[in-house]
Amino acid sequence: MPSTPVGQPPEAERRELVDRLLAILFQLRRRFARAIPDDLRAAIGPVTVHQMQALHTVARQGSITMGELAACLDAASMSTATQMADRLVRLGLVDRSGDPDDRRLVRITLSATGRSLHDDMEAGWRRGIGDSLAGLSDEECATLVRLIERVLGGPSETEAAP
């Protein structure tokens, strides 16, 4: 691991750390992508990262409204969430239905196909993350998670959701 030359300005040290972190993030992304089996990669084919994020949120919460989908995607408008839901319905990954308690709301839930795809994808992610963390102790893993949560501003949404 290269060290910063003595006397280098703090901004340069921070810039170097940011550059290293960026490289690490790209490496992690590639490693996690390689952990996905070829048959699952073929099944995922047309599903985008944002769509997988939406499926993950629906899987964690059971069903979500369009407003909750928009928040999950950091969408600027409800139409963006509606378009996402439309695509997921066309792909057969979610079902859309009215809310039994409020007729104005539309809810989406995972279809059987969506559940299967999500579960397979999550298993691939877990395998990839597990492999990546294999060289760390439990204490080091806990420290890494706490630091990442701190960078993101608190515990992850998925930790708070279930």
Side-chain angles (χ1 to χ4, degrees), residues 9-136:
E11 312 84 55
E13 290 176 23
R14 181 57 64 118
R15 194 170 35 254
E16 179 183 340
L17 289 172
V18 168
D19 289 346
R20 286 173 49 198
L21 180 58
L22 185 59
I24 289 167
L25 292 174
F26 285 128
Q27 290 171 359
L28 280 172
R29 183 187 167 284
R30 283 194 303 271
R31 180 175 289 186
F32 296 155
R34 283 194 307 267
I36 300 168
D38 289 340
D39 59 332
L40 180 55
R41 192 182 320 275
I44 293 168
V47 181
T48 68
V49 172
H50 286 101
Q51 290 167 343
M52 284 305 298
Q53 179 184 354
L55 290 178
H56 184 71
T57 300
V58 175
R60 292 285 174 248
Q61 295 185 13
S63 85
I64 61 174
T65 65
M66 290 298 121
E68 291 165 338
L69 178 61
C72 142
L73 300 171
D74 292 327
S77 68
M78 286 294 288
S79 66
T80 301
T82 301
Q83 290 170 3
M84 169 72 74
D86 289 345
R87 285 191 294 272
L88 293 171
V89 167
R90 277 195 304 275
L91 290 169
L93 301 175
V94 298
D95 296 315
R96 191 186 334 235
S97 61
D99 186 295
D101 298 324
D102 187 341
R103 293 181 341 163
R104 296 169 295 171
L105 297 177
V106 174
R107 293 198 159 275
I108 59 171
T109 56
L110 289 182
S111 66
T113 302
R115 169 63 62 192
S116 178
L117 178 65
H118 172 268
D119 291 350
D120 291 347
M121 189 67 196
E122 190 167 278
W125 286 331
R126 286 181 186 280
R127 193 172 36 260
I129 291 170
D131 291 349
S132 296
L133 300 178
L136 301 179

